[in-house]
Amino acid sequence: MDEQFRRLLTPMPVARGESWWTTHLPLRAGRRFNDEMWTLFDYRAELAEEEGGTWY
């Protein structure tokens, strides 16, 4: 499962933390999550299409 999850994240750390799952952020995200990552980490992912559903 870890390997599958890692493929969805940045290859290099972009956030502070001690574990890979807290330092590597998603490669794609919805608009709201992207805005929050930009505010917190100065990082913007590829914008994922939003078709209703959740904002994250």
Side-chain angles (χ1 to χ4, degrees):
M1 185 67 163
D2 282 354
E3 285 303 316
Q4 291 174 343
F5 184 60
R6 283 183 197 226
R7 284 185 243 149
L8 303 174
L9 306 176
T10 57
M12 300 299 294
V14 294
R16 292 185 187 159
E18 295 183 19
S19 305
W20 64 263
W21 56 87
T22 60
T23 60
H24 298 254
L25 298 177
L27 293 170
R28 296 185 54 188
R31 189 174 317 278
R32 183 174 172 192
F33 191 28
N34 242 331
D35 290 346
E36 290 179 12
M37 288 190 295
W38 180 256
T39 299
L40 295 171
F41 306 112
D42 198 29
Y43 168 77
R44 192 169 302 277
E46 178 184 337
L47 191 60
E49 291 188 27
E50 299 175 22
E51 299 178 14
T54 62
W55 289 12
Y56 289 95

